[in-house]
């Protein structure tokens, strides 16, 4: 177990002890131990092997023994027992502003409050005020804290955060003394959802910059205001953090606060193996004392930092601690698909089903993007709620598209397709005699979401075995922050797609991004083809294809693996097979 995890366990022990009303000195000892382990400059394994751990200030013999056990086995019975002796929901109660361990313990012992739900009930019912030390005002504060937490605990779709990031960037960039500025964190890594936004600025004059930051018009409240570090809450509940560092520290701070945490832990451990201690402040020899200065002189950019550690540059999207460091140690990372590679898209709706714009309007929008082709895939007849096409209407649409192509009215070539429902038994919504007349078929699940995993998996595999199916649409049906994926065995579906030479869609709707990037990497290595599909229901949504490129990159997708990077002739040949 690594230092960060050990420190987290020790800190948790301190909290549990507090909740149990244990001796404050004992509590303090674990808190101090956690801090010591987290900021340890020497390798923990060496300290243990040389039996020097107990000699470190802040770590006595009893603590040293527990740390050794955690380090060697990853487990600690003392921790497990403590944890099991208290309801797990008490920890979230501690996160309500104004509730410390003492108060939470009182609520637990007197009113059997175990979690936020029971706490909220007790506040609403007024029973909380019967406790000594809990007045009307305390109860009201707890309640508003819980409600804020419910509203604010939500993550935000990446695409919704972009305008805010841009607005802050524009405001801050033009201030005097701002030498470098970048968003960091999950936003910069292109993650599908963002918890909070982190900005890093390099400057020698932080105060006026902080002033401008905390008075941005979107700011609803200032959560923390320091000279180099502040947090604000926006009207939509999003938190934005800003850190201002001296310019020499900027590349280190930017790298650190871009994360991910896993990537940072792995990079720090690589630095350590080279005798270097890496932090947000800089690099210094691994065995330095607290007053050893950090080296920053030769490192001006993140690229310099990676180079210094013997690595090729790792773009932020790949910094998820999923093997990117080992790859970067071998040489340059693969050339991943980029926005300029995209030449069209295949999953698009028109007013014939539930789209907002006509076939002609969609074709014009594709022309405006400079695309070579556009695939039309309106819903099939069983999707009644989406005005799915009957066989007659589909055949008529095919005629229209052929005529439009012949007329050369648009620069884009239009491909005829359908988003054909996969019926609950795995049959397709149109017979093969109809499907065979189309250029391509997207098969999607739009009904019977509650089937069990085996049924759903078999259903989708059956559809993939249909010779006329080209690709699987939004394979898990998830809606980010709203609806979980339906039960299915995705690895089995990937196997079936490979076995049957089918494409899987990376649905580029900002709330879908389905199939998830975490599944793409190995799949693409195995030869699975991807179609980055906007699932556009309006002309403006064609651009979702481009907005999803960072997600495709997180999945390590190269141009070769993405169908809609092929040129028109290649696509025609592909569909003919
Ligand atoms: P989010 O905000 O939940 O979407 O995710 P992030 O990745 O933006 O996380 P955040 O805002 O808590 O912190 C930004 C970055 O700072 C994170 O990706 C890595 C770094 N960081 C924060 N806390 C720690 C820590 O305890 N250890 C390490 N190694 N890095 C941390
Ligand atoms: Ca963040
Ligand atoms: Ca943050
Ligand atoms: Zn669909």
């Amino acid at each position: 177990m690594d230092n960060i995890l050990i420190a987290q366990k020790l800190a948790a022990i301190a909290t549990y002890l507090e909740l149990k009303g244990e001796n404050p000195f004992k509590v303090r000892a674990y808190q101090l131990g956690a801090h010591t382990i987290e900021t340890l400059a020497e390798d923990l394994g060496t300290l243990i092997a040389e039996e020097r751990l107990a000699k470190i200030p802040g770590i006595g013999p009893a603590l040293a023994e527990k740390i050794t056990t955690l380090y060697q086995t990853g487990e600690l019975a003392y921790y497990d027992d403590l944890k099991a002796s208290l309801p797990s929901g008490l920890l979230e109660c501690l996160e309500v502003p104004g509730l410390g361990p003492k108060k939470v313990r009182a609520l637990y012992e007197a009113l059997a409050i175990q979690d936020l739900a029971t706490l909220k009930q007790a506040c609403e019912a007024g029973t909380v005020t019967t406790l000594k030390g809990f007045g009307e005002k305390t109860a009201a504060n707890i309640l508003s804290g819980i409600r804020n937490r419910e509203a604010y605990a939500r993550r935000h779709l990446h695409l919704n955060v972009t305008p805010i990031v841009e607005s802050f960037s524009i405001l801050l960039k033009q201030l005097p003394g701002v030498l470098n500025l970048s968003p960091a964190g999950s936003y910069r890594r292109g993650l599908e959802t963002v918890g909070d936004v982190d900005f890093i600025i390099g400057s020698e004059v932080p105060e006026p910059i902080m002033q401008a930051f905390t008075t941005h018009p979107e700011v609803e409240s200032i959560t923390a205001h320091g000279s180099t570090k502040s947090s604000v809450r926006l009207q939509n509940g999003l938190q934005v953090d800003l850190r201002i560092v001296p310019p020499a520290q900027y590349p280190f701070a930017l790298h650190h606060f871009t994360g991910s945490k896993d990537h940072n832990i792995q990079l720090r451990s690589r630095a350590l193996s080279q005798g270097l201690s890496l932090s947000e402040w800089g690099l210094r020899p691994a065995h330095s004392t607290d007053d050893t200065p950090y080296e920053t002189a030769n490192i001006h950019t993140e690229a310099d930092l990676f180079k210094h550690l013997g690595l090729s540059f790792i773009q932020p999207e790949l910094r998820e601690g999923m093997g990117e460091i080992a790859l970067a140690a071998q040489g340059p990372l693969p050339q991943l698909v980029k926005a300029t590679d995209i030449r069209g898209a295949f999953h698009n709706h028109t007013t014939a089903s539930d789209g907002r714009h006509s076939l002609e309007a969609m074709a014009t929008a594709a022309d405006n993007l400079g695309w070579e082709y556009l695939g039309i895939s309106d819903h099939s007849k069983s999707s009644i709620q989406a005005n799915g096409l009957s066989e007659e209407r589909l055949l008529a649409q095919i005629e229209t598209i052929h005529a439009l192509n012949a007329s050369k009215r648009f620069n884009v070539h239009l491909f005829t397709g359908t988003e054909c429902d996969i019926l609950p038994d795995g049959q397709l919504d149109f017979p093969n005699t109809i499907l065979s007349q189309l250029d391509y078929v997207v098969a999607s699940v739009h009904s019977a979401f509650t089937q069990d995993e085996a049924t759903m998996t078999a259903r989708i595999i059956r559809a993939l075995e249909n010779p006329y199916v080209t690709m699987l649409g939004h394979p898990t049906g998830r809606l980010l922050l709203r609806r979980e994926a339906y039960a299915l065995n995705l690895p089995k579906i990937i196997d079936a797609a490979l076995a049957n030479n089918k494409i899987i869609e990376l649905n580029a709707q900002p709330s879908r991004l389905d199939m998830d990037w975490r599944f793409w990497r190995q799949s693409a290595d195995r030869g699975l083809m991807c179609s980055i599909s906007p699932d556009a229901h309006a002309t403006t949504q064609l651009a979702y294809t481009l907005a999803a490129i960072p997600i495709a990159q997180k999945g390590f997708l190269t141009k070769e693996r993405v169908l809609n990077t092929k040129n028109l002739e290649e696509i025609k040949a592909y569909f003919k097979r």
Side-chain angles (χ1 to χ4, degrees):
M1 183 174 269
D2 69 45
N3 298 24
I4 301 282
L5 287 172
I6 293 174
Q8 282 170 359
K9 288 249 152 106
L10 297 180
I13 290 174
T15 306
Y16 291 135
L17 291 174
E18 262 190 303
L19 283 171
K20 287 181 145 306
E22 289 265 0
N23 178 335
F25 291 104
K26 198 168 164 188
V27 172
R28 182 76 195 119
Y30 280 95
Q31 285 168 343
L32 195 64
H35 180 76
T36 308
I37 292 297
E38 202 179 349
T39 56
L40 207 58
E42 267 200 271
D43 180 44
L44 185 53
T46 313
L47 285 172
I48 289 172
E50 297 176 8
E51 294 186 4
R52 288 190 288 119
L53 189 55
K55 296 197 186 97
I56 294 208
I59 298 181
L63 206 52
E65 196 189 312
K66 293 198 171 69
I67 293 168
T68 305
T69 309
L70 276 171
Y71 181 81
Q72 287 166 345
T73 68
E75 279 170 79
L76 186 67
Y78 180 63
Y79 167 84
D80 293 343
D81 294 346
L82 262 177
K83 188 175 174 194
S85 69
L86 291 163
S88 58
L90 284 187
L91 289 187
E92 56 187 31
C93 295
L94 277 176
E95 284 167 31
V96 176
L99 280 190
K102 256 196 202 124
K103 280 207 160 78
V104 171
R105 183 159 49 92
L107 289 163
Y108 172 52
E109 283 173 0
L111 299 175
I113 282 165
Q114 316 221 346
D115 50 33
L116 284 183
T118 45
L119 178 56
K120 193 176 173 190
Q121 278 166 15
C123 288
E124 283 165 348
T127 43
V128 162
T129 50
T130 61
L131 276 189
K132 191 166 158 262
F134 288 80
E136 293 285 350
K137 200 161 171 213
T138 317
N141 282 343
I142 294 173
L143 207 48
S144 88
I146 294 174
R147 288 191 181 132
N148 279 343
R149 203 171 171 282
E150 284 169 348
Y152 294 151
R154 277 191 46 230
R155 296 180 67 81
H156 303 257
L157 291 183
H158 191 281
L159 200 77
N160 294 344
V161 172
T162 301
I164 291 161
V165 168
E166 282 171 358
S167 149
F168 271 96
S169 296
I170 290 167
L171 171 87
L172 296 171
K173 235 178 204 149
Q174 42 88 29
L175 297 175
V178 173
L179 300 181
N180 325 76
L181 173 145
S182 175
S186 53
Y187 180 82
R188 184 169 181 240
R189 299 199 312 281
L191 208 60
E192 59 276 17
T193 66
V194 171
D196 67 3
V197 174
D198 309 273
F199 274 103
I200 308 296
I201 283 180
S203 176
E204 300 286 10
V205 284
E207 280 86 1
I209 302 170
M210 273 308 171
Q211 194 56 35
F213 172 69
T214 50
T215 52
H216 182 286
E218 287 286 315
V219 170
E220 189 183 75
S221 62
I222 302 171
T223 331
H225 192 157
S227 57
T228 60
K229 193 181 143 186
S230 296
S231 294
V232 295
R233 201 58 96 170
L234 307 186
Q235 279 146 26
N236 66 356
L238 181 70
Q239 177 175 310
V240 184
D241 295 344
L242 170 62
R243 280 184 178 75
I244 305 177
V245 300
Q249 253 171 38
Y250 178 75
F252 298 95
L254 177 61
H255 176 272
H256 176 86
F257 291 107
T258 294
S260 67
K261 199 167 165 181
D262 288 341
H263 169 90
N264 287 354
I265 290 170
Q266 292 168 20
L267 196 68
R268 260 193 268 157
S269 124
R270 181 179 174 89
L272 216 50
S273 73
Q274 299 174 355
L276 294 167
S277 158
L278 170 66
S279 73
E280 60 189 278
W281 310 112
L283 278 166
R284 60 183 181 182
H287 302 283
S288 337
T289 52
D290 277 354
D291 48 8
T292 310
Y294 285 97
E295 278 301 327
T296 55
N298 296 323
I299 292 168
H300 306 291
T301 62
E302 283 184 333
D304 293 341
L305 172 59
F306 284 119
K307 198 169 164 199
H308 195 86
L309 297 172
L311 299 171
S312 35
F313 182 71
I314 302 173
Q315 68 181 81
E317 288 81 358
L318 303 185
R319 299 183 199 164
E320 296 291 348
M322 292 169 70
E324 70 276 7
I325 293 177
L327 268 182
Q330 288 163 21
L333 292 169
Q335 272 285 331
L336 302 175
V337 62
K338 32 183 209 308
T340 49
D341 294 332
I342 297 295
R343 297 179 189 232
F346 290 102
H347 183 163
N348 302 295
H349 299 270
T350 73
T351 43
S353 64
D354 61 349
R356 271 196 275 139
H357 293 117
S358 66
L359 178 55
E360 290 79 2
M362 295 297 280
T364 304
D367 272 355
N368 292 339
L369 286 169
W371 283 358
E372 292 178 27
Y373 47 83
L374 184 72
I376 301 299
S377 56
D378 275 307
H379 286 283
S380 62
K381 60 175 187 272
S382 289
S383 275
I384 295 160
Q385 76 293 344
N387 189 26
L389 274 62
S390 65
E391 284 149 29
E392 293 69 34
R393 289 175 65 213
L394 178 59
L395 292 174
Q397 190 186 53
I398 296 175
E399 292 294 306
T400 309
I401 289 177
H402 287 163
L404 278 176
N405 281 336
S407 77
K408 305 256 182 245
R409 208 177 123 191
F410 301 105
N411 293 326
V412 284
H413 177 84
L414 297 169
F415 283 110
T416 60
T418 172
E419 182 180 15
C420 189
D421 271 27
I422 302 174
L423 302 177
D425 64 356
Q427 295 213 59
L428 292 175
D429 198 17
F430 288 131
N432 287 351
T433 50
I434 297 285
L435 297 179
S436 63
Q437 301 186 46
L438 295 160
D439 290 321
Y440 72 100
V441 172
V442 182
S444 303
V445 167
H446 291 119
S447 60
F449 293 138
T450 54
Q451 286 179 337
D452 64 54
E453 181 182 307
T455 310
M456 182 64 88
T457 305
R459 168 186 182 183
I460 294 174
I461 290 176
R462 183 166 179 206
L464 288 175
E465 286 168 354
N466 180 305
Y468 293 103
V469 167
T470 317
M471 61 185 92
L472 175 62
H474 45 71
T476 77
R478 76 167 177 194
L479 293 177
L480 290 165
L481 309 176
R482 274 190 288 155
R483 183 174 84 200
E484 289 299 309
Y486 28 74
L488 83 172
N489 185 328
L490 201 47
K492 274 197 183 153
I493 285 164
I494 293 167
D495 288 345
L498 280 162
N500 292 283
N501 221 339
K502 305 296 184 191
I503 298 162
I504 289 187
E505 175 178 277
L506 167 50
N507 189 298
Q509 284 279 326
S511 60
R512 289 192 184 268
L513 300 169
D514 180 16
M515 180 166 87
D516 189 285
W517 60 267
R518 294 159 188 84
F519 280 92
W520 272 111
R521 181 159 174 196
Q522 287 111 11
S523 308
D525 282 350
R526 293 170 64 198
L528 185 66
M529 282 296 287
C530 172
S531 169
I532 304 179
S533 295
D535 197 352
H537 287 73
T539 52
T540 51
Q541 295 183 5
L542 290 177
Y544 286 162
T545 317
L546 309 174
I549 292 292
I551 293 286
Q553 294 177 337
K554 292 180 89 66
F556 272 82
L557 283 165
T558 60
K559 183 181 173 190
E560 289 64 39
R561 297 263 63 84
V562 178
L563 177 74
N564 46 327
T565 65
K566 292 183 187 292
N567 68 32
L568 180 58
E569 293 316 310
E570 290 168 330
I571 294 286
K572 283 182 175 168
Y574 190 94
F575 286 160
K576 263 213 189 87
R577 293 181 316 168

